Each structure stands twice: as structure tokens, then as C-alpha cells.
Amino acid sequence: MAGGGENKLKLLGMWTSPFALRVKLALSFKGLSYEYVEEDLRNKSELLLSSNPVHKKVPVLIHNGKPICESQIIVQYIDETFPGADASLLPSDPYERAVARFWAAYIDDKLLKSWLQASMGKTEEEKAEALKETFAAVANLEAAFKECSKGKPFFGGDTVGYLDVTLGGLVSWMHAGEALYGMRLFDATRSPLLDAWVDRFGSLDAAKAVLPDAGRLAEYAKKRQAEQAAAAAAN
Amino acid sequence: MAGKDDVKVLGVVVSPFAIRVRIALNMKGVSYEYMEEDLTNKSELLLSSNPIHKKVPVLIHGGKPICESLVIVQYVDEVFPGAAVLPSDPYDRAVARFWAAYVDDKMFPPMVAFLLAVTEEERAAKAEETLAAMAQLEKAFGECSGGKPFFGGDSIGYVDLALGSNLQWLETSYQMFGVALLDAVKTPLLTAWAKRFVEADAAKGVVPDTALAVEFCKKLRAR
């Protein structure tokens, strides 16, 4: 369906945000056109503050003037509103849908949380503990990939599905993390299926169209770390 | 031997997460076998059905486990005919999902921290946080209900389940510490809604007596 007055889509995002990236991926895989607004999170736009007054965060999808917030909710909204010619992102079977939603929650609540803590933790101990938890989460996700993909290339099977998009938001950060810390989140020994999935997903045209450059992300992360260190030293 | 359509729920009587699943099943008129778990001595069935989190609730349908309360509620809504839990319009669904997530991410954690707090200071801080969340939910109720009795409109919906399943804990905060986290002056709409929620047929017998919640809280605090 072409964009016109009837189906105006606007996405408020920030180029380094894996959550905004998920929404871009969903829109890309659905072949939907939209207006993208890059937010400066240190100087949030009126539109962002009025569209997401509760959390004041990106991403926000504005569809015909109505805002939808929270990346996983937005992706499901896109899937339900724009069924499209291709397979939907969420599986059609209710049990498989429940499994997909379970692992999507796991990716944010367990994997992402420990991974962030492993690099941002305040003490070496905290970071080491978080790293252990991260690898435990990776092992669980590797098993989940096996279960969901059933031998096919994606969590969604033959085509990209909800979990591919959910995890896909983290792909460029995975590469940036490797450049920054020499640590590969999914490596060939610990999680061979996910390791292969990262390259496979990243090489899809619809993904390439929106994935940010990992080198730029790594530079951005270094800059932010330097700023934070300077601020901490000043206090 | 589990029948193809057998429904089992593993839960804890005072757990808001288990309560919401049970009310959803009642809304659909689905009969189920309920198994009360002792979280200090988890059953083999719980550990094998939810090996990742080892938590309640778990719904076991025809032998297949589903975990995470909101995932289960959506599953129940999609699989069983009867009263709809989520609205049919995708935008309304997104709004419902937003507020249910808000309850779990912004209301529940400070409420639990309040109940388990060791110092007066911490209790005061967590009360403030919880009350701020309740104030947001009061506004949300105004928007979602459109003047009707529930977040879901004429009958209980997704957000009603998410918030309503916490009522015994909000009441416990008052009984144990004299702090009304559900405050009739600050959140009048929610206060009136709460009375309607616990009176609803589907909720009867599932929302537990506050006495049970108080006992559970005392035990947790003693550990």
C-alpha cells in the first residue's frame, strides 16, 4: 500500500538505538515508507515529548497522527496493521506466537540487560558477573534458535520473523562490541547457530538498508565513554 | 495422561502474575487444574515446564507449557473463544499492551520494594515511586475506559487484568504500613474501579483475601 494521506508513518528515533533499529527493520522488511526523524536525546523535540509523555523515549511510531511507543509493541502493531503480501512477522500458530513473545521478552530482560551491565557495570566484579550471565543467556538463546528455526535460516523459519527483527536491532552493536572489547557476543564455538544467523541476517537487503555502520557505533561509544569518564573525574 | 485439551496452571495464590492468568481463563469459561507451588520447594513439574525462569505462572495446555504471564494471557485470548481480553483494533491493542507493560515495569517493582523495605526512608521513597505510577494509571484509566467501568470498556480487559491482579498487594501496603498506595483521594477513578474489578464474576475466588497476602509478605520480610 503506497504512502499517501491515508497511511502516514513517522518514526522518531536515534541512530544508535537498537530499539529504534528494530522498528526500522520491521518497516524495511514490510516494505513500508515512512518519514524518519533523528532525535537529539539531550534536546528532545516537542513532538517526542508530546508523543511519549510517559517515558520520553525513542522509538515512537506515529501513524496518521497517533503515537505508538515501546519497540516490541510497535513491531507487533506494524505486523497487525500491515499484514502485507509476505508472511507476517509473528507466527500464525498461537503456541508458536507465545514462544516468540517469550523469547522476545528474554532478549530484552536477560540478554540485553546483562550484556549492557558487562560493559557498563561500576566494578570489575559486577562486570565479570554480568558477563557470565550474558553467556548463560546466549546459551539459552542458541537453544531457542534451534527450537524456533527448525533447521531453517531464521527464527521465523524460511523468512525473517518477530525474533529476527527483535534480535536484529542488536546486530550492529554486536559488531561494535567486538571492535571495542574484543568480545564476540555470538561466537562460532559457544553459539554457532546464532553466529551464522548474525551474518545471514546482516546480509539481507532489507537489513543492510537500515543497519548502522558498526565502526561509527564503536567511535560513538568511545566518545561517550570519554565524556562519562571526564564527568566522573570532575565530580 | 494429559488430554489434548487439558489445562493446568502452576501458580501461587497471591501472585499477581498467576492471578491474571486464572481470571483470563475464567473469562473464557475454561476449566483448569490449579496447582499451588511452594516457591521454597518448587515442583518437578514447574522446574521442567519453565526451566529458563523457574517461575510461576506456567500454563500447560495439552502438555505444552507457556510461560510469562502476559504471554500466557495473550495465548489464552487467542486460543479460547469467548469474551475478548485484548481489543480488536490494532491501535487499541498497542495502547493496552503499553499500559500492561507499564504496570509490570513501573508500578509493580516499587510496590514490592515498598513492601520489603527495611528502612523508613526506603519505604517512603518507594511509596512515592508507586504513587507516581498510580497517578499515571489514573490518567490512563480516564483515557482507556472512555467513561465505561473498566480499562477494557464494558468488561474486563488486558490492562484491568494487569493492574487488578495487584490489588491484594496494594491493600497489604495499607494494612501493614498504613500507607494507601491505592488512595481514594489521589486516584478516585482507580479506587472505584478496584471495587468493580474484585466484584466481577471472573475475578471472584481468584483475587485472594488480603490476609493471605499479609501473611506471605511477613514471611518474605522475615527471610
Side-chain angles (χ1 to χ4, degrees):
Chain A
M1 189 185 297
E6 268 308 298
N7 254 321
K8 262 188 77 177
L9 287 167
K10 192 184 272 198
L11 174 63
L12 311 182
M14 198 261 170
W15 71 279
T16 67
S17 161
F19 306 103
L21 182 54
R22 269 176 199 162
V23 178
K24 282 189 189 170
L25 285 165
L27 291 164
S28 187
F29 280 102
K30 289 275 185 180
L32 295 166
S33 28
Y34 59 98
E35 181 192 340
Y36 177 71
V37 177
E38 176 72 17
E39 286 285 335
D40 174 0
L41 297 180
R42 294 185 234 197
N43 184 20
K44 294 173 183 177
S45 72
E46 256 320 301
L47 184 58
L48 174 56
L49 297 174
S50 61
S51 304
N52 191 358
V54 175
H55 300 301
K56 305 176 175 50
K57 285 180 168 180
V58 294
V60 180
L61 182 75
I62 306 175
H63 184 204
N64 293 336
K66 302 204 290 191
I68 303 106
C69 309
E70 297 294 286
S71 68
Q72 293 199 20
I73 294 176
I74 299 171
V75 172
Q76 290 188 74
Y77 174 81
I78 291 169
D79 200 33
E80 290 170 10
T81 308
F82 303 100
D86 297 321
S88 61
L89 290 174
L90 274 150
S92 48
D93 173 73
Y95 184 76
E96 287 179 21
R97 254 205 304 281
V99 172
R101 286 178 176 138
F102 175 91
W103 287 110
Y106 188 85
I107 286 166
D108 281 352
D109 299 342
K110 299 288 177 191
L111 178 69
L112 187 54
K113 204 161 172 189
S114 356
W115 191 34
L116 281 172
Q117 183 72 340
S119 49
M120 317 256 266
K122 294 195 183 89
T123 66
E124 285 313 309
E125 250 162 10
E126 262 179 42
K127 290 201 255 190
E129 185 58 43
L131 195 60
K132 257 175 63 188
E133 282 168 13
T134 305
F135 290 142
V138 168
N140 287 331
L141 203 58
E142 175 85 354
F145 183 82
K146 203 167 179 187
E147 184 194 334
C148 296
S149 65
K150 303 184 186 30
K152 297 195 171 178
F154 301 103
F155 282 96
D158 285 311
T159 54
V160 156
Y162 185 63
L163 283 174
D164 300 284
V165 166
T166 302
L167 192 58
L170 308 181
V171 159
S172 297
W173 272 112
M174 291 178 204
H175 293 309
E178 198 183 351
L180 284 165
Y181 306 110
M183 183 205 105
R184 214 170 151 74
L185 185 64
F186 301 148
D187 78 13
T189 328
R190 267 193 315 265
S191 47
L193 296 177
L194 288 173
D195 183 42
W197 171 87
V198 171
D199 292 332
R200 190 180 309 130
F201 182 83
S203 65
L204 294 169
D205 286 337
K208 283 201 284 203
V210 295
L211 288 176
D213 178 69
R216 273 187 75 204
L217 278 180
E219 264 172 52
Y220 170 86
K222 280 195 204 131
K223 223 178 96 186
R224 284 298 301 272
Q225 276 166 359
E227 282 167 7
Q228 276 156 9
N235 289 340
Chain B
M1 184 163 79
K4 185 171 71 69
D5 297 316
D6 277 6
V7 179
K8 256 195 195 69
V9 173
L10 311 183
V12 158
V13 135
V14 293
S15 158
F17 307 105
I19 288 167
R20 57 182 66 153
V21 168
R22 295 172 68 190
I23 298 178
L25 287 165
N26 284 353
M27 285 168 69
K28 300 285 189 176
V30 173
S31 33
Y32 61 95
E33 182 191 345
Y34 177 69
M35 296 172 60
E36 177 75 6
E37 285 286 330
D38 173 0
L39 298 179
T40 63
N41 184 19
K42 294 174 183 177
S43 72
E44 255 320 298
L45 184 57
L46 175 57
L47 297 175
S48 62
S49 305
N50 191 357
I52 299 288
H53 299 301
K54 305 176 175 52
K55 285 178 166 180
V56 296
V58 180
L59 181 85
I60 308 177
H61 186 202
K64 299 203 289 192
I66 301 107
C67 308
E68 292 296 284
S69 68
L70 293 178
V71 174
I72 300 171
V73 168
Q74 291 183 83
Y75 174 82
V76 167
D77 198 28
E78 292 167 11
V79 164
F80 298 105
V85 176
L86 269 162
S88 49
D89 173 71
Y91 186 75
D92 295 337
R93 290 157 76 85
V95 172
R97 285 175 173 138
F98 177 90
W99 288 112
Y102 185 85
V103 169
D104 285 356
D105 297 340
K106 300 290 178 190
M107 196 286 287
F108 181 79
M111 179 186 69
V112 170
F114 170 88
L115 290 166
L116 300 179
V118 173
T119 65
E120 265 310 317
E121 270 152 351
E122 209 202 325
R123 205 157 22 241
K126 292 303 166 182
E128 211 182 298
E129 239 182 279
T130 311
L131 286 166
M134 293 300 285
Q136 282 283 10
L137 289 163
E138 174 87 355
K139 266 172 66 180
F141 182 81
E143 286 161 18
C144 295
S145 64
K148 293 187 171 186
F150 298 100
F151 283 92
D154 289 311
S155 53
I156 288 178
Y158 196 63
V159 183
D160 300 281
L161 289 179
L163 186 57
S165 53
N166 282 286
L167 290 174
Q168 68 285 348
W169 288 116
L170 293 168
E171 187 53 34
T172 297
S173 69
Y174 185 69
Q175 286 197 17
M176 282 183 74
F177 303 104
V179 177
L181 294 177
L182 174 62
D183 184 309
V185 173
K186 296 187 174 118
T187 52
L189 297 178
L190 288 181
T191 303
W193 161 85
K195 293 195 180 84
R196 291 192 291 269
F197 182 86
V198 299
E199 285 298 302
D201 284 333
K204 290 224 184 97
V206 183
V207 178
D209 278 341
T210 306
L212 285 172
V214 169
E215 202 189 306
F216 193 89
C217 184
K218 285 189 174 147
K219 282 204 191 113
L220 273 182
R221 286 181 61 87
R223 276 208 239 128

